[in-house]
Amino acid sequence: MFKVERFQCWKEEEMKDRLAPLINEPVEIRYQKLKNVLKEHKIRVSHQRLLILDYLLCNDTHPTADEIFQNLKLKDPVLSQATVYNTLNLFVDHNLISELDFNQPSKRYDFYRFHHSHFLCESCGKIIDLDIDEEDLRFKELEGYKIDTIEVIVRGVCPDCQEDEESI
């Protein structure tokens, strides 16, 4: 059997235990805990970085950098598009978020709550998280290889779009 060795910012159970409950917490508590997350990753804390990280934590829509910018400039009018792009790159470099490339015009971003895969609707573009157990994946051709990461993207048409197609 092959072994998957990938860097994770935390053990997955610790990640779920620490961050999943934050979504329902008041913003002040979320910000305090997210400050600690940034410090643990040796990232200087700033208002804009907290704003962007909080947005990614609370929005599991896999937004693009432009979507993040458009939504956050309503909260912080002085936020620049360059700051959003630079912050996202910084977070990716520190393994705090993942950059998703679905061969679309814009990359999408995902906060590391836990390791997962994705379903991409080819019709409407909706992306949903899939819980796939990597231990169940077998690639006999890769016996003896060191695998750094596995990315599974399932493409198809979501139930909503299937209903829309049937009603036409």
Side-chain angles (χ1 to χ4, degrees):
M1 169 131 164
F2 65 88
K3 180 171 174 67
V4 176
E5 297 179 21
R6 66 175 188 278
F7 174 82
Q8 290 184 315
C9 34
W10 292 288
K11 294 178 184 164
E12 289 188 15
E13 286 307 311
E14 181 182 344
M15 188 70 145
K16 288 178 187 176
D17 292 343
R18 285 181 65 190
L19 298 178
L22 279 183
I23 294 171
N24 299 318
E25 294 286 347
V27 71
E28 299 83 20
I29 293 172
R30 278 201 322 268
Y31 271 36
Q32 187 55 51
K33 292 190 178 178
L34 291 175
K35 281 182 188 179
N36 293 335
V37 168
L38 291 174
K39 289 176 185 176
E40 287 172 18
H41 283 81
K42 311 238 183 303
I43 298 173
R44 189 177 53 80
V45 176
S46 73
H47 168 72
Q48 290 88 356
R49 289 175 180 167
L50 283 172
L51 194 65
I52 293 166
L53 189 58
D54 186 57
Y55 181 85
L56 287 167
L57 174 70
C58 295
N59 293 279
D60 61 357
T61 59
H62 310 88
T64 65
D66 193 53
E67 289 169 345
I68 295 167
F69 171 68
Q70 294 300 326
N71 283 293
L72 291 181
K73 78 175 184 178
L74 299 173
K75 286 185 178 182
D76 184 354
V78 297
L79 181 71
S80 73
Q81 200 165 20
T83 297
V84 171
Y85 277 96
N86 291 336
T87 300
L88 292 171
N89 288 333
L90 178 70
F91 290 169
V92 168
D93 290 345
H94 283 80
N95 295 304
L96 190 53
I97 65 172
S98 58
E99 185 177 68
L100 308 173
D101 186 355
F102 295 115
N103 291 325
Q104 294 179 325
S106 299
K107 294 183 191 300
R108 297 185 164 273
Y109 296 89
D110 198 7
F111 189 77
Y112 277 130
R113 289 182 191 85
F114 56 91
H115 187 73
H116 58 275
S117 297
H118 298 96
F119 171 84
L120 172 63
C121 178
E122 299 270 336
S123 185
C124 68
K126 181 190 316 184
I127 301 166
I128 62 167
D129 294 336
L130 302 175
D131 187 14
I132 294 180
D133 187 355
E134 291 175 356
E135 296 300 318
D136 289 339
L137 297 174
R138 304 277 190 260
F139 302 102
K140 66 180 183 178
E141 297 86 3
L142 297 178
E143 290 295 324
Y145 285 74
K146 177 185 166 259
I147 308 299
D148 294 319
T149 187
I150 296 175
E151 295 178 17
V152 177
I153 302 170
V154 178
R155 295 173 183 266
V157 179
C158 71
D160 293 338
C161 290
Q162 291 177 48
E163 279 183 25
D164 291 346
E165 289 174 1
E166 290 172 8
S167 66
I168 295 176

Short mmCIF file of all heavy atoms in Angstrom, two decimals, residues 81-136:
data_model
loop_
_atom_site.label_atom_id
_atom_site.label_comp_id
_atom_site.label_asym_id
_atom_site.label_seq_id
_atom_site.Cartn_x
_atom_site.Cartn_y
_atom_site.Cartn_z
N GLN A 81 -7.75 45.28 -3.69
CA GLN A 81 -7.71 43.98 -4.35
C GLN A 81 -6.32 43.35 -4.21
O GLN A 81 -6.19 42.15 -4.01
CB GLN A 81 -8.09 44.13 -5.82
CG GLN A 81 -8.54 42.85 -6.46
CD GLN A 81 -9.26 43.09 -7.77
OE1 GLN A 81 -9.10 44.14 -8.39
NE2 GLN A 81 -10.03 42.12 -8.21
N ALA A 82 -5.29 44.17 -4.27
CA ALA A 82 -3.93 43.67 -4.10
C ALA A 82 -3.73 43.05 -2.72
O ALA A 82 -3.07 42.01 -2.58
CB ALA A 82 -2.92 44.80 -4.32
N THR A 83 -4.31 43.67 -1.70
CA THR A 83 -4.21 43.12 -0.34
C THR A 83 -4.86 41.75 -0.27
O THR A 83 -4.33 40.83 0.35
CB THR A 83 -4.85 44.07 0.68
OG1 THR A 83 -4.13 45.31 0.67
CG2 THR A 83 -4.86 43.49 2.08
N VAL A 84 -6.02 41.60 -0.91
CA VAL A 84 -6.71 40.31 -0.90
C VAL A 84 -5.84 39.26 -1.59
O VAL A 84 -5.60 38.17 -1.03
CB VAL A 84 -8.10 40.41 -1.58
CG1 VAL A 84 -8.72 39.02 -1.76
CG2 VAL A 84 -9.02 41.31 -0.76
N TYR A 85 -5.33 39.55 -2.78
CA TYR A 85 -4.49 38.59 -3.50
C TYR A 85 -3.22 38.26 -2.70
O TYR A 85 -2.85 37.08 -2.58
CB TYR A 85 -4.11 39.13 -4.88
CG TYR A 85 -5.17 38.90 -5.92
CD1 TYR A 85 -6.10 39.89 -6.22
CD2 TYR A 85 -5.27 37.69 -6.60
CE1 TYR A 85 -7.09 39.69 -7.17
CE2 TYR A 85 -6.26 37.47 -7.55
CZ TYR A 85 -7.16 38.48 -7.83
OH TYR A 85 -8.14 38.27 -8.77
N ASN A 86 -2.56 39.27 -2.17
CA ASN A 86 -1.33 39.03 -1.41
C ASN A 86 -1.59 38.21 -0.15
O ASN A 86 -0.81 37.33 0.20
CB ASN A 86 -0.65 40.35 -1.04
CG ASN A 86 -0.08 41.06 -2.24
OD1 ASN A 86 0.22 40.44 -3.27
ND2 ASN A 86 0.04 42.37 -2.16
N THR A 87 -2.70 38.50 0.52
CA THR A 87 -3.04 37.76 1.74
C THR A 87 -3.38 36.31 1.41
O THR A 87 -2.94 35.39 2.12
CB THR A 87 -4.22 38.44 2.46
OG1 THR A 87 -3.82 39.77 2.81
CG2 THR A 87 -4.61 37.68 3.72
N LEU A 88 -4.14 36.09 0.35
CA LEU A 88 -4.46 34.72 -0.04
C LEU A 88 -3.19 33.94 -0.38
O LEU A 88 -3.03 32.79 0.03
CB LEU A 88 -5.43 34.71 -1.22
CG LEU A 88 -6.84 35.22 -0.91
CD1 LEU A 88 -7.65 35.38 -2.20
CD2 LEU A 88 -7.56 34.31 0.07
N ASN A 89 -2.27 34.57 -1.11
CA ASN A 89 -1.00 33.90 -1.43
C ASN A 89 -0.20 33.59 -0.17
O ASN A 89 0.40 32.51 -0.06
CB ASN A 89 -0.17 34.76 -2.39
CG ASN A 89 -0.75 34.78 -3.78
OD1 ASN A 89 -1.42 33.85 -4.21
ND2 ASN A 89 -0.50 35.86 -4.51
N LEU A 90 -0.19 34.51 0.78
CA LEU A 90 0.49 34.29 2.05
C LEU A 90 -0.12 33.10 2.79
O LEU A 90 0.60 32.23 3.29
CB LEU A 90 0.41 35.56 2.91
CG LEU A 90 1.04 35.49 4.30
CD1 LEU A 90 2.55 35.43 4.20
CD2 LEU A 90 0.59 36.69 5.12
N PHE A 91 -1.45 33.05 2.86
CA PHE A 91 -2.14 31.95 3.54
C PHE A 91 -1.86 30.62 2.85
O PHE A 91 -1.68 29.59 3.51
CB PHE A 91 -3.64 32.20 3.60
CG PHE A 91 -4.07 33.31 4.53
CD1 PHE A 91 -5.37 33.78 4.50
CD2 PHE A 91 -3.19 33.90 5.44
CE1 PHE A 91 -5.80 34.79 5.35
CE2 PHE A 91 -3.60 34.91 6.28
CZ PHE A 91 -4.91 35.36 6.25
N VAL A 92 -1.82 30.61 1.53
CA VAL A 92 -1.52 29.38 0.78
C VAL A 92 -0.09 28.95 1.09
O VAL A 92 0.18 27.77 1.37
CB VAL A 92 -1.72 29.58 -0.74
CG1 VAL A 92 -1.11 28.42 -1.53
CG2 VAL A 92 -3.20 29.74 -1.06
N ASP A 93 0.86 29.90 1.07
CA ASP A 93 2.26 29.59 1.34
C ASP A 93 2.46 29.01 2.74
O ASP A 93 3.38 28.22 2.95
CB ASP A 93 3.14 30.84 1.17
CG ASP A 93 3.27 31.28 -0.27
OD1 ASP A 93 2.92 30.49 -1.18
OD2 ASP A 93 3.69 32.43 -0.50
N HIS A 94 1.62 29.40 3.69
CA HIS A 94 1.73 28.92 5.07
C HIS A 94 0.78 27.75 5.35
O HIS A 94 0.57 27.39 6.50
CB HIS A 94 1.46 30.06 6.05
CG HIS A 94 2.61 30.99 6.21
ND1 HIS A 94 2.89 31.98 5.29
CD2 HIS A 94 3.57 31.06 7.15
CE1 HIS A 94 3.98 32.63 5.68
NE2 HIS A 94 4.41 32.10 6.79
N ASN A 95 0.23 27.16 4.28
CA ASN A 95 -0.65 25.99 4.39
C ASN A 95 -1.85 26.23 5.31
O ASN A 95 -2.29 25.32 6.00
CB ASN A 95 0.14 24.76 4.86
CG ASN A 95 1.15 24.34 3.84
OD1 ASN A 95 0.81 24.09 2.70
ND2 ASN A 95 2.40 24.28 4.26
N LEU A 96 -2.35 27.43 5.30
CA LEU A 96 -3.52 27.76 6.10
C LEU A 96 -4.80 27.60 5.28
O LEU A 96 -5.85 27.25 5.81
CB LEU A 96 -3.39 29.20 6.61
CG LEU A 96 -4.36 29.69 7.64
CD1 LEU A 96 -4.40 28.76 8.85
CD2 LEU A 96 -3.97 31.09 8.10
N ILE A 97 -4.70 27.85 3.98
CA ILE A 97 -5.82 27.65 3.06
C ILE A 97 -5.28 26.91 1.84
O ILE A 97 -4.06 26.83 1.64
CB ILE A 97 -6.48 28.98 2.62
CG1 ILE A 97 -5.51 29.84 1.81
CG2 ILE A 97 -7.03 29.73 3.83
CD1 ILE A 97 -6.14 31.07 1.17
N SER A 98 -6.20 26.39 1.04
CA SER A 98 -5.76 25.75 -0.21
C SER A 98 -6.28 26.56 -1.39
O SER A 98 -7.34 27.19 -1.33
CB SER A 98 -6.24 24.31 -0.29
OG SER A 98 -7.64 24.24 -0.21
N GLU A 99 -5.49 26.54 -2.44
CA GLU A 99 -5.84 27.20 -3.69
C GLU A 99 -6.34 26.11 -4.62
O GLU A 99 -5.64 25.12 -4.86
CB GLU A 99 -4.61 27.88 -4.27
CG GLU A 99 -4.85 28.69 -5.49
CD GLU A 99 -3.58 29.38 -5.95
OE1 GLU A 99 -2.66 28.66 -6.39
OE2 GLU A 99 -3.50 30.60 -5.83
N LEU A 100 -7.56 26.26 -5.11
CA LEU A 100 -8.18 25.24 -5.96
C LEU A 100 -8.17 25.70 -7.40
O LEU A 100 -8.59 26.81 -7.70
CB LEU A 100 -9.61 24.97 -5.50
CG LEU A 100 -9.80 24.65 -4.02
CD1 LEU A 100 -11.29 24.58 -3.67
CD2 LEU A 100 -9.09 23.36 -3.66
N ASP A 101 -7.71 24.82 -8.27
CA ASP A 101 -7.67 25.13 -9.69
C ASP A 101 -8.52 24.10 -10.42
O ASP A 101 -8.12 22.94 -10.54
CB ASP A 101 -6.23 25.11 -10.20
CG ASP A 101 -6.12 25.57 -11.65
OD1 ASP A 101 -7.16 25.81 -12.29
OD2 ASP A 101 -4.98 25.68 -12.13
N PHE A 102 -9.69 24.49 -10.85
CA PHE A 102 -10.60 23.58 -11.54
C PHE A 102 -10.58 23.82 -13.04
O PHE A 102 -11.56 23.57 -13.73
CB PHE A 102 -12.03 23.77 -11.02
CG PHE A 102 -12.21 23.38 -9.58
CD1 PHE A 102 -12.54 24.34 -8.63
CD2 PHE A 102 -12.03 22.08 -9.15
CE1 PHE A 102 -12.72 23.99 -7.30
CE2 PHE A 102 -12.20 21.72 -7.82
CZ PHE A 102 -12.54 22.68 -6.90
N ASN A 103 -9.47 24.33 -13.55
CA ASN A 103 -9.36 24.70 -14.96
C ASN A 103 -10.44 25.70 -15.36
O ASN A 103 -11.03 25.62 -16.43
CB ASN A 103 -9.41 23.46 -15.87
CG ASN A 103 -8.17 22.63 -15.73
OD1 ASN A 103 -7.08 23.15 -15.53
ND2 ASN A 103 -8.32 21.32 -15.81
N GLN A 104 -10.69 26.65 -14.46
CA GLN A 104 -11.63 27.72 -14.70
C GLN A 104 -10.82 29.02 -14.77
O GLN A 104 -9.65 29.04 -14.40
CB GLN A 104 -12.66 27.79 -13.57
CG GLN A 104 -13.56 26.58 -13.51
CD GLN A 104 -14.54 26.66 -12.37
OE1 GLN A 104 -14.24 27.18 -11.30
NE2 GLN A 104 -15.74 26.14 -12.59
N PRO A 105 -11.43 30.10 -15.22
CA PRO A 105 -10.67 31.36 -15.35
C PRO A 105 -10.04 31.85 -14.05
O PRO A 105 -8.98 32.44 -14.07
CB PRO A 105 -11.72 32.36 -15.85
CG PRO A 105 -12.78 31.53 -16.47
CD PRO A 105 -12.79 30.23 -15.73
N SER A 106 -10.69 31.59 -12.90
CA SER A 106 -10.17 32.08 -11.62
C SER A 106 -9.97 30.93 -10.65
O SER A 106 -10.78 30.00 -10.60
CB SER A 106 -11.15 33.07 -10.99
OG SER A 106 -11.33 34.19 -11.82
N LYS A 107 -8.90 31.02 -9.88
CA LYS A 107 -8.67 30.04 -8.83
C LYS A 107 -9.65 30.30 -7.70
O LYS A 107 -10.15 31.41 -7.53
CB LYS A 107 -7.24 30.14 -8.32
CG LYS A 107 -6.22 29.75 -9.37
CD LYS A 107 -4.83 29.79 -8.79
CE LYS A 107 -3.76 29.66 -9.78
NZ LYS A 107 -3.55 28.65 -10.61
N ARG A 108 -9.91 29.27 -6.93
CA ARG A 108 -10.82 29.37 -5.80
C ARG A 108 -10.05 29.03 -4.53
O ARG A 108 -9.00 28.39 -4.60
CB ARG A 108 -12.02 28.45 -5.98
CG ARG A 108 -12.83 28.86 -7.20
CD ARG A 108 -14.09 28.06 -7.36
NE ARG A 108 -14.99 28.71 -8.29
CZ ARG A 108 -15.86 29.64 -7.96
NH1 ARG A 108 -15.99 30.02 -6.72
NH2 ARG A 108 -16.63 30.20 -8.86
N TYR A 109 -10.58 29.43 -3.39
CA TYR A 109 -9.87 29.26 -2.13
C TYR A 109 -10.75 28.54 -1.12
O TYR A 109 -11.96 28.70 -1.09
CB TYR A 109 -9.41 30.62 -1.60
CG TYR A 109 -8.41 31.24 -2.55
CD1 TYR A 109 -8.82 32.04 -3.60
CD2 TYR A 109 -7.06 30.93 -2.45
CE1 TYR A 109 -7.92 32.56 -4.51
CE2 TYR A 109 -6.14 31.45 -3.35
CZ TYR A 109 -6.58 32.25 -4.37
OH TYR A 109 -5.68 32.75 -5.28
N ASP A 110 -10.09 27.73 -0.31
CA ASP A 110 -10.78 26.87 0.63
C ASP A 110 -10.01 26.86 1.94
O ASP A 110 -8.79 26.63 1.94
CB ASP A 110 -10.84 25.45 0.04
CG ASP A 110 -11.87 24.56 0.69
OD1 ASP A 110 -12.66 25.04 1.52
OD2 ASP A 110 -11.90 23.36 0.34
N PHE A 111 -10.71 27.10 3.03
CA PHE A 111 -10.08 27.06 4.35
C PHE A 111 -9.91 25.61 4.76
O PHE A 111 -10.81 24.80 4.57
CB PHE A 111 -10.96 27.80 5.37
CG PHE A 111 -10.30 28.00 6.69
CD1 PHE A 111 -9.34 28.98 6.85
CD2 PHE A 111 -10.62 27.21 7.77
CE1 PHE A 111 -8.72 29.17 8.07
CE2 PHE A 111 -10.02 27.39 8.99
CZ PHE A 111 -9.06 28.37 9.14
N TYR A 112 -8.75 25.27 5.31
CA TYR A 112 -8.48 23.89 5.73
C TYR A 112 -9.22 23.57 7.01
O TYR A 112 -8.68 23.69 8.10
CB TYR A 112 -6.99 23.71 6.03
CG TYR A 112 -6.11 23.44 4.85
CD1 TYR A 112 -4.96 24.19 4.65
CD2 TYR A 112 -6.40 22.43 3.95
CE1 TYR A 112 -4.13 23.94 3.58
CE2 TYR A 112 -5.58 22.18 2.88
CZ TYR A 112 -4.44 22.94 2.70
OH TYR A 112 -3.63 22.69 1.66
N ARG A 113 -10.47 23.17 6.89
CA ARG A 113 -11.16 22.66 8.09
C ARG A 113 -10.75 21.21 8.31
O ARG A 113 -10.54 20.78 9.42
CB ARG A 113 -12.67 22.75 7.91
CG ARG A 113 -13.19 24.15 7.94
CD ARG A 113 -14.71 24.15 7.81
NE ARG A 113 -15.20 25.49 7.58
CZ ARG A 113 -15.27 26.06 6.40
NH1 ARG A 113 -14.88 25.43 5.32
NH2 ARG A 113 -15.73 27.28 6.28
N PHE A 114 -10.69 20.46 7.24
CA PHE A 114 -10.25 19.06 7.24
C PHE A 114 -9.96 18.70 5.80
O PHE A 114 -10.40 19.38 4.88
CB PHE A 114 -11.32 18.15 7.84
CG PHE A 114 -12.65 18.24 7.15
CD1 PHE A 114 -12.97 17.41 6.09
CD2 PHE A 114 -13.58 19.19 7.55
CE1 PHE A 114 -14.19 17.52 5.44
CE2 PHE A 114 -14.81 19.31 6.90
CZ PHE A 114 -15.11 18.47 5.85
N HIS A 115 -9.21 17.61 5.61
CA HIS A 115 -8.88 17.22 4.24
C HIS A 115 -10.13 16.67 3.56
O HIS A 115 -10.84 15.86 4.14
CB HIS A 115 -7.76 16.19 4.23
CG HIS A 115 -7.28 15.91 2.85
ND1 HIS A 115 -6.52 16.81 2.14
CD2 HIS A 115 -7.50 14.88 2.01
CE1 HIS A 115 -6.27 16.33 0.94
NE2 HIS A 115 -6.86 15.16 0.84
N HIS A 116 -10.39 17.12 2.36
CA HIS A 116 -11.57 16.67 1.64
C HIS A 116 -11.35 16.84 0.14
O HIS A 116 -10.36 17.40 -0.30
CB HIS A 116 -12.81 17.47 2.09
CG HIS A 116 -12.67 18.95 1.90
ND1 HIS A 116 -12.08 19.77 2.83
CD2 HIS A 116 -13.04 19.76 0.88
CE1 HIS A 116 -12.09 21.00 2.38
NE2 HIS A 116 -12.67 21.03 1.20
N SER A 117 -12.30 16.31 -0.62
CA SER A 117 -12.28 16.43 -2.07
C SER A 117 -13.48 17.28 -2.49
O SER A 117 -14.19 17.80 -1.64
CB SER A 117 -12.33 15.04 -2.70
OG SER A 117 -11.17 14.33 -2.32
N HIS A 118 -13.70 17.41 -3.79
CA HIS A 118 -14.73 18.33 -4.27
C HIS A 118 -15.54 17.74 -5.42
O HIS A 118 -15.03 16.96 -6.22
CB HIS A 118 -14.09 19.64 -4.76
CG HIS A 118 -13.39 20.36 -3.68
ND1 HIS A 118 -12.03 20.25 -3.47
CD2 HIS A 118 -13.84 21.19 -2.71
CE1 HIS A 118 -11.69 20.98 -2.43
NE2 HIS A 118 -12.77 21.56 -1.95
N PHE A 119 -16.81 18.16 -5.48
CA PHE A 119 -17.69 17.91 -6.62
C PHE A 119 -17.90 19.27 -7.29
O PHE A 119 -18.22 20.25 -6.62
CB PHE A 119 -19.04 17.33 -6.20
CG PHE A 119 -20.03 17.27 -7.34
CD1 PHE A 119 -20.01 16.20 -8.22
CD2 PHE A 119 -20.93 18.30 -7.56
CE1 PHE A 119 -20.89 16.16 -9.30
CE2 PHE A 119 -21.82 18.27 -8.63
CZ PHE A 119 -21.80 17.19 -9.50
N LEU A 120 -17.73 19.31 -8.59
CA LEU A 120 -17.93 20.54 -9.37
C LEU A 120 -19.06 20.32 -10.35
O LEU A 120 -18.98 19.42 -11.21
CB LEU A 120 -16.64 20.90 -10.12
CG LEU A 120 -16.74 22.06 -11.11
CD1 LEU A 120 -17.07 23.36 -10.41
CD2 LEU A 120 -15.44 22.20 -11.90
N CYS A 121 -20.13 21.12 -10.22
CA CYS A 121 -21.24 21.04 -11.18
C CYS A 121 -20.80 21.74 -12.46
O CYS A 121 -20.47 22.92 -12.44
CB CYS A 121 -22.51 21.67 -10.61
SG CYS A 121 -23.87 21.65 -11.81
N GLU A 122 -20.82 21.00 -13.55
CA GLU A 122 -20.39 21.53 -14.85
C GLU A 122 -21.40 22.52 -15.42
O GLU A 122 -21.09 23.27 -16.33
CB GLU A 122 -20.19 20.38 -15.84
CG GLU A 122 -19.14 19.37 -15.41
CD GLU A 122 -17.76 19.71 -15.89
OE1 GLU A 122 -17.65 20.43 -16.90
OE2 GLU A 122 -16.79 19.26 -15.28
N SER A 123 -22.61 22.53 -14.85
CA SER A 123 -23.65 23.41 -15.37
C SER A 123 -23.67 24.76 -14.66
O SER A 123 -23.59 25.81 -15.30
CB SER A 123 -25.00 22.72 -15.24
OG SER A 123 -26.02 23.49 -15.83
N CYS A 124 -23.77 24.75 -13.32
CA CYS A 124 -23.90 26.02 -12.59
C CYS A 124 -22.61 26.45 -11.89
O CYS A 124 -22.52 27.57 -11.42
CB CYS A 124 -25.03 25.92 -11.55
SG CYS A 124 -24.69 24.79 -10.17
N GLY A 125 -21.64 25.56 -11.79
CA GLY A 125 -20.36 25.91 -11.17
C GLY A 125 -20.32 25.69 -9.67
O GLY A 125 -19.31 25.97 -9.03
N LYS A 126 -21.42 25.19 -9.09
CA LYS A 126 -21.44 24.94 -7.65
C LYS A 126 -20.36 23.92 -7.28
O LYS A 126 -20.11 22.97 -8.01
CB LYS A 126 -22.80 24.39 -7.23
CG LYS A 126 -22.91 24.13 -5.75
CD LYS A 126 -24.14 23.35 -5.30
CE LYS A 126 -25.42 23.77 -5.91
NZ LYS A 126 -26.59 23.06 -5.39
N ILE A 127 -19.70 24.17 -6.15
CA ILE A 127 -18.66 23.27 -5.65
C ILE A 127 -19.08 22.82 -4.27
O ILE A 127 -19.40 23.64 -3.41
CB ILE A 127 -17.30 23.98 -5.57
CG1 ILE A 127 -16.89 24.50 -6.95
CG2 ILE A 127 -16.24 23.04 -5.01
CD1 ILE A 127 -15.74 25.48 -6.90
N ILE A 128 -19.10 21.51 -4.05
CA ILE A 128 -19.40 21.00 -2.72
C ILE A 128 -18.25 20.14 -2.23
O ILE A 128 -17.51 19.55 -3.02
CB ILE A 128 -20.74 20.22 -2.66
CG1 ILE A 128 -20.71 18.99 -3.55
CG2 ILE A 128 -21.91 21.10 -3.01
CD1 ILE A 128 -21.86 18.04 -3.29
N ASP A 129 -18.10 20.10 -0.91
CA ASP A 129 -17.05 19.30 -0.29
C ASP A 129 -17.49 17.84 -0.22
O ASP A 129 -18.65 17.54 0.06
CB ASP A 129 -16.76 19.80 1.12
CG ASP A 129 -16.15 21.19 1.12
OD1 ASP A 129 -15.54 21.57 0.11
OD2 ASP A 129 -16.28 21.88 2.14
N LEU A 130 -16.54 16.95 -0.46
CA LEU A 130 -16.77 15.51 -0.36
C LEU A 130 -15.82 14.94 0.68
O LEU A 130 -14.63 15.24 0.66
CB LEU A 130 -16.50 14.82 -1.70
CG LEU A 130 -17.29 15.28 -2.92
CD1 LEU A 130 -16.78 14.56 -4.16
CD2 LEU A 130 -18.77 15.03 -2.71
N ASP A 131 -16.33 14.10 1.52
CA ASP A 131 -15.50 13.41 2.51
C ASP A 131 -15.08 12.07 1.92
O ASP A 131 -15.88 11.15 1.84
CB ASP A 131 -16.28 13.22 3.81
CG ASP A 131 -15.41 12.68 4.93
OD1 ASP A 131 -14.17 12.71 4.79
OD2 ASP A 131 -15.98 12.23 5.94
N ILE A 132 -13.84 12.00 1.43
CA ILE A 132 -13.32 10.78 0.82
C ILE A 132 -12.18 10.28 1.69
O ILE A 132 -11.24 11.03 1.99
CB ILE A 132 -12.84 11.02 -0.63
CG1 ILE A 132 -14.03 11.37 -1.51
CG2 ILE A 132 -12.11 9.81 -1.16
CD1 ILE A 132 -13.70 11.62 -2.95
N ASP A 133 -12.24 9.03 2.08
CA ASP A 133 -11.20 8.43 2.90
C ASP A 133 -10.05 8.00 1.99
O ASP A 133 -10.19 7.06 1.21
CB ASP A 133 -11.76 7.23 3.67
CG ASP A 133 -10.77 6.67 4.67
OD1 ASP A 133 -9.61 7.14 4.71
OD2 ASP A 133 -11.16 5.75 5.41
N GLU A 134 -8.94 8.70 2.10
CA GLU A 134 -7.79 8.40 1.25
C GLU A 134 -7.25 6.99 1.48
O GLU A 134 -6.66 6.39 0.58
CB GLU A 134 -6.67 9.41 1.50
CG GLU A 134 -7.01 10.79 1.02
CD GLU A 134 -5.94 11.79 1.38
OE1 GLU A 134 -4.96 11.45 2.06
OE2 GLU A 134 -6.09 12.95 0.97
N GLU A 135 -7.46 6.46 2.67
CA GLU A 135 -6.97 5.12 2.97
C GLU A 135 -7.71 4.07 2.13
O GLU A 135 -7.18 2.99 1.90
CB GLU A 135 -7.12 4.81 4.46
CG GLU A 135 -6.28 5.72 5.35
CD GLU A 135 -4.78 5.62 5.06
OE1 GLU A 135 -4.27 4.49 4.85
OE2 GLU A 135 -4.13 6.68 5.02
N ASP A 136 -8.92 4.39 1.68
CA ASP A 136 -9.69 3.46 0.85
C ASP A 136 -9.28 3.51 -0.61
O ASP A 136 -9.66 2.64 -1.39
CB ASP A 136 -11.19 3.74 0.98
CG ASP A 136 -11.73 3.35 2.33
OD1 ASP A 136 -11.10 2.52 3.02
OD2 ASP A 136 -12.80 3.88 2.71
#
